[in-house]
């Protein structure tokens, strides 16, 4: 046990937690924390140009690495700027610890300069939060915060620390273990429920695995792939699960939901047993819940008991860590005669017909660049090891449909909140976590401007990420909804007046390109990769290209718009 001030305790606790990098932005209430950050040498601090970006960068770091991301902010507006990052991480179950400075204890409740009720504001968008009230409790709180963030269903944890505590001296002893009577996640599935679920699998004629982001959070990709290979059960993936299955896996029907493949949505509609593996039945997946898999029994595996039967009633609820439970299911399947994959051959034949009937495709053109071609071409050039982030909009869905993801933690995107401005800072975090991998951010001409200032962070800290702007001079996804459902009234979605993105990249010290042809794009991407500098490639695409298929909001997922004329 040794005497340290509060800021030294934070620094020492981060060292003991193995933290290698912190993203943040200083301010008055965080001055002591930053003074200690200046003195220490066991973690790297990256100064972002906005607090929202700091949390997104920590989020991208966490998703790419599987470790807890860490961010610092100051009080008041510094903290409120971080809220979107917290909400984004919370919706997508990303483990983060955000440490914010607060005004001194004597000033709390006095409307002091840059005072805000940070824990009150963050309560709705974090897994847990703390206002530190004494120097004595600070080590325990930091230990608990990291434990809560990475265990159970992962999520962000917020610690708000009054400035006087960051300067106060106390005894520091970092706990070796955490004991929280009210927080004890269940990891192993109930054996009776496992037996019932396996019996349902063996008696099903048309089983379907429905894989969610929990498969990535729990590092369950390998056991899930084994389960499908041994059983021959086909599968669909959510947006957050892309990469759990290889893109070319014959059992992979692609993404399900609003912009899912025809085969994936029809499979859900026609199956007689839906095996949900770490998914939460988001409304973008279910559409009309009364019509969702209405002929199927439901197995729902999730580590968060509050998610089970929240949206769709589960016939076989199983609470537990997904990797653990899938291994239990495989053990039970193998405990007697095993399972014969040929049982489901007729079902797979039916699904093959769905795939052949309406495959994911697009009308390519030599006259104007199609975004789908740009995405597929990028994958060919950067290879399997590249990490891909996106912002939110049409480009996000085209990437989900056409980029061949083959491994977990390869795809970083804001699913639950749909946060524009996420892509660039998340890419920075991913590049810091995986410096040897190429990191590409697909974005739109609307989204990129939401956190464009982070090009300066990329330059200052030598983080060479490449931004591919699929530029249609529109807020494209909103424009698409206005086309289909608002009689082409493009209210406030026309972005015809935009900056010169190539010059903008150069102004930050990076490299920039504006391309209109296939040859120009291929040349620009190769040059950007070779430059080892932050880059923007402004790609002029077909202005009115739509993302299809599309399930109208609230419709049954088998009720898909299949072409630009509205065919269903």
């Amino acid at each position: 046990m040794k005497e340290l001030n509060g800021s030294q305790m934070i620094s020492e606790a981060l060292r003991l937690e193995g933290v290698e990098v912190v993203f943040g932005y200083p301010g008055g209430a965080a001055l002591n924390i930053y003074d200690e950050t200046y003195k220490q040498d066991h973690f790297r601090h990256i100064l972002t140009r906005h607090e929202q970006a700091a949390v997104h960068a920590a989020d991208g770091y966490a998703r790419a690495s599987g470790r807890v991301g860490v961010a610092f902010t100051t009080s008041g507006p510094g903290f409120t700027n971080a809220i979107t990052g917290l909400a984004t991480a919370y919706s997508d179950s990303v483990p983060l610890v955000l440490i914010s400075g607060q005004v001194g204890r004597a000033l709390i409740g006095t409307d002091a300069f840059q005072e805000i009720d940070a824990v009150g504001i963050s309560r709705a968008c974090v897994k847990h939060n703390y206002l530190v009230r004494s120097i004595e409790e600070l080590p325990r709180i930091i230990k608990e915060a990291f434990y809560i963030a990475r265990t159970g269903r992962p999520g962000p944890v917020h610690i708000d620390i009054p400035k006087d505590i960051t300067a106060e001296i106390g005894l520091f002893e970092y706990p070796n273990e955490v004991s929280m009577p009210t927080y004890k996640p269940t990891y192993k599935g109930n054996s009776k429920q496992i037996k019932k679920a396996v019996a349902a699998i063996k008696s099903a004629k048309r089983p379907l695995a429905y894989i969610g982001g929990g498969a990535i959070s729990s590092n369950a990709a390998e056991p899930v792939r084994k389960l499908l290979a041994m059983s021959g059960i086909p599968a669909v993936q959510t947006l957050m699960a892309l990469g759990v299955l290889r893109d070319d896996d014959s059992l992979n029907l692609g993404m399900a939901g609003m912009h899912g493949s025809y085969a994936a949505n029809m499979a859900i509609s026609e199956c007689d047993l839906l095996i949900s593996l770490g998914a939460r039945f988001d409304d973008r997946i279910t559409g009309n819940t009364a019509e969702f898999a209405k002929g199927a029994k439901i197995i729902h595996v999730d580590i968060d008991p509050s998610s089970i039967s929240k949206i769709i009633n589960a016939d076989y609820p199983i609470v537990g860590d997904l990797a653990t439970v899938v291994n239990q299911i495989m053990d039970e399947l193998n405990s007697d005669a095993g399972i014969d994959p040929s049982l489901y051959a007729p079902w797979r034949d039916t699904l093959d017909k769905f795939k052949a009937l309406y495959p994911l495709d697009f009308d390519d053109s030599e006259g104007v660049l199609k975004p789908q071609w740009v995405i597929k071409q990028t994958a060919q050039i950067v290879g399997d090891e590249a990490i891909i982030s996106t912002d939110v909009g049409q480009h996000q869905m085209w990437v989900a449909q056409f980029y061949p993801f083959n491994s977990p933690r390869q795809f970083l995107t804001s699913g639950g909140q749909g946060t524009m401005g996420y892509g660039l800072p998340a890419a920075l975090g991913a590049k810091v976590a995986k410096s040897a991998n190429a990191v590409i951010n697909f974005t739109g001409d609307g989204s990129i401007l939401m956190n464009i200032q982070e090009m300066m962070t990329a330059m200052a800290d030598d983080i060479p990420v490449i931004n591919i702007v699929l530029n249609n001079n529109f807020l494209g996804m909103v424009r698409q909804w206005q086309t289909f459902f608002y009689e082409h009234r493009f209210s406030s979605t026309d972005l015809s007046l935009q900056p010169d993105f190539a010059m903008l990249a150069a102004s930050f010290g990076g490299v920039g390109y504006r391309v209109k042809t296939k040859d120009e794009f291929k040349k620009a991407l190769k040059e950007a990769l070779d430059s080892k500098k932050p880059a923007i490639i402004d790609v002029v695409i077909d202005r009115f290209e739509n993302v299809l298929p599309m399930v109208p909001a609230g419709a049954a997922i088998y009720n898909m718009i299949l072409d630009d004329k509205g065919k269903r």
Side-chain angles (χ1 to χ4, degrees):
M1 194 176 298
K2 52 189 174 183
E3 284 193 335
L4 298 175
N5 66 38
S7 298
Q8 291 170 326
M9 289 185 184
I10 295 167
S11 179
E12 182 65 6
L14 296 189
R15 184 184 71 79
L16 293 169
E17 291 292 341
V19 173
E20 296 175 342
V21 61
V22 174
F23 303 87
Y25 201 102
L31 273 170
N32 294 327
I33 297 172
Y34 269 86
D35 189 52
E36 190 56 33
T37 297
Y38 181 86
K39 296 173 186 172
Q40 61 79 40
D41 59 4
H42 51 263
F43 65 82
R44 177 185 180 188
H45 180 271
I46 294 179
L47 171 65
T48 59
R49 268 45 177 184
H50 194 284
E51 292 88 351
Q52 178 185 344
V55 183
H56 288 329
D59 175 313
Y61 175 88
R63 295 195 206 212
S65 69
R67 306 181 67 185
V68 177
V70 182
F72 289 166
T73 72
T74 188
S75 62
F79 174 75
T80 58
N81 283 342
I83 282 293
T84 298
L86 289 175
T88 301
Y90 184 55
S91 291
D92 293 344
S93 305
V94 178
L96 295 181
V97 171
L98 171 67
I99 295 175
S100 62
Q102 180 57 279
V103 301
R105 282 172 290 184
L107 293 174
I108 291 177
T110 68
D111 296 330
F113 177 68
Q114 293 192 334
E115 183 199 0
I116 197 77
D117 179 8
V119 293
I121 292 172
S122 71
R123 185 166 293 121
C125 53
V126 294
K127 186 175 177 183
H128 197 59
N129 62 8
Y130 297 91
L131 171 62
V132 180
R133 299 178 184 279
S134 71
I135 189 70
E136 290 78 17
E137 64 182 9
L138 181 56
R140 172 186 59 78
I141 285 175
I142 297 175
K143 181 71 178 181
E144 288 180 359
F146 276 86
Y147 175 73
I148 293 170
R150 64 177 164 240
T151 57
R153 177 179 176 176
V157 179
H158 169 218
I159 309 173
D160 198 34
I161 309 179
K163 185 174 182 180
D164 57 314
I165 291 180
T166 63
E168 187 176 348
I169 292 175
L171 292 174
F172 179 79
E173 183 175 20
Y174 203 59
N176 291 320
E177 297 179 351
V178 171
S179 176
M180 303 179 70
T182 58
Y183 177 70
K184 293 186 181 299
T186 298
Y187 291 98
K188 188 174 180 181
N190 181 283
S191 58
K192 292 182 179 177
Q193 289 297 94
I194 298 286
K195 287 181 184 293
K196 291 178 182 177
V198 167
I201 291 171
K202 288 188 171 180
S203 63
K205 303 293 185 188
R206 302 184 304 280
L208 180 72
Y210 158 48
I211 304 169
I216 293 177
S217 298
S218 68
N219 296 313
E222 184 177 344
V224 167
R225 290 181 181 190
K226 285 182 180 177
L227 172 63
L228 300 186
M230 70 182 280
S231 64
I233 295 174
V236 301
Q237 300 182 96
T238 68
L239 176 71
M240 304 311 298
L242 293 176
V244 171
L245 302 182
R246 284 191 59 85
D247 181 69
D248 57 1
D249 189 324
S250 62
L251 295 171
N252 180 7
L253 300 170
M255 184 175 73
M258 180 172 280
H259 292 293
S261 72
Y262 180 82
N265 286 353
M266 291 305 295
I268 290 175
S269 302
E270 297 292 329
C271 69
D272 65 356
L273 179 70
L274 189 70
I275 308 164
S276 175
L277 304 173
R280 61 184 178 87
F281 296 91
D282 176 83
D283 65 287
R284 285 296 194 263
I285 292 289
T286 63
N288 182 349
T289 54
E291 294 294 314
F292 181 81
K294 66 179 182 181
K297 296 290 186 182
I298 307 292
I299 297 172
H300 192 171
V301 183
D302 203 299
I303 197 164
D304 179 3
S306 71
S307 285
I308 292 179
S309 295
K310 181 178 180 180
I311 309 295
I312 299 293
N313 189 52
D315 300 283
Y316 306 97
I318 302 174
V319 177
D321 170 67
L322 186 59
T324 303
V325 171
V326 170
N327 281 314
Q328 288 179 268
I329 289 174
M330 286 192 288
D331 290 343
E332 186 64 28
L333 281 169
N334 288 324
S335 64
D336 46 27
I339 188 165
D340 180 3
S342 67
L343 280 174
Y344 313 127
W347 171 228
R348 292 193 296 272
D349 290 343
T350 299
L351 298 176
D352 285 342
K353 291 175 184 173
F354 287 148
K355 284 196 280 189
L357 187 59
Y358 292 108
L360 279 178
D361 206 353
F362 64 99
D363 293 326
D364 201 4
S365 168
E366 296 302 318
V368 60
L369 282 172
K370 294 288 187 167
Q372 301 94 331
W373 178 90
V374 174
I375 290 162
K376 295 179 76 166
Q377 188 63 37
T378 300
Q380 287 185 25
I381 292 175
V382 300
D384 242 10
E385 300 300 316
I387 296 172
I388 306 300
S389 69
T390 74
D391 272 303
V392 169
Q394 286 182 308
H395 68 272
Q396 178 191 32
M397 292 297 109
W398 283 319
V399 169
Q401 291 177 332
F402 289 95
Y403 197 95
F405 295 106
N406 288 319
S407 59
R409 303 194 183 282
Q410 187 184 8
F411 181 41
L412 319 178
T413 196
S414 171
Q417 286 298 311
T419 304
M420 294 172 70
Y422 171 83
L424 172 52
L428 299 182
K431 185 66 177 176
V432 170
K434 301 284 186 181
S435 60
N437 299 58
V439 177
I440 308 291
N441 173 40
F442 282 101
T443 181
D445 52 307
S447 284
I448 187 63
L449 291 178
M450 293 234 173
N451 267 317
I452 190 68
Q453 77 285 344
E454 298 311 315
M455 281 292 288
M456 201 66 251
T457 305
M459 280 301 303
D461 284 83
D462 189 20
I463 310 173
V465 300
I466 297 173
N467 299 276
I468 297 177
V469 181
L470 298 177
N471 187 346
N472 53 13
N473 290 113
F474 267 125
L475 293 174
M477 187 59 86
V478 185
R479 192 278 306 157
Q480 178 171 328
W481 281 58
Q482 291 171 333
T483 298
F484 285 136
F485 310 119
Y486 292 86
E487 299 177 332
H488 297 78
R489 293 187 294 277
F490 300 148
S491 177
S492 300
T493 48
D494 190 316
L495 300 180
S496 294
L497 188 60
Q498 287 284 46
D500 184 323
F501 289 108
M503 291 180 65
L504 192 53
S507 76
F508 285 111
V511 293
Y513 308 86
R514 181 173 172 84
V515 301
K516 296 182 178 179
T517 69
K518 291 180 176 179
D519 287 342
E520 287 176 352
F521 175 75
K522 288 187 279 190
K523 182 172 183 288
L525 180 55
K526 289 172 183 174
E527 285 186 8
L529 288 165
D530 291 341
S531 75
K532 308 297 182 187
K533 289 184 175 181
I536 295 178
I537 304 175
D538 182 16
V539 185
V540 180
I541 63 168
D542 188 338
R543 285 200 84 191
F544 292 93
E545 187 75 8
N546 290 318
V547 183
L548 297 169
M550 178 180 187
V551 178
I557 63 167
Y558 53 75
N559 188 13
M560 291 167 268
I561 299 173
L562 296 169
D563 66 23
D564 290 324
K565 296 178 181 177
K567 176 184 175 183
R568 305 192 187 192

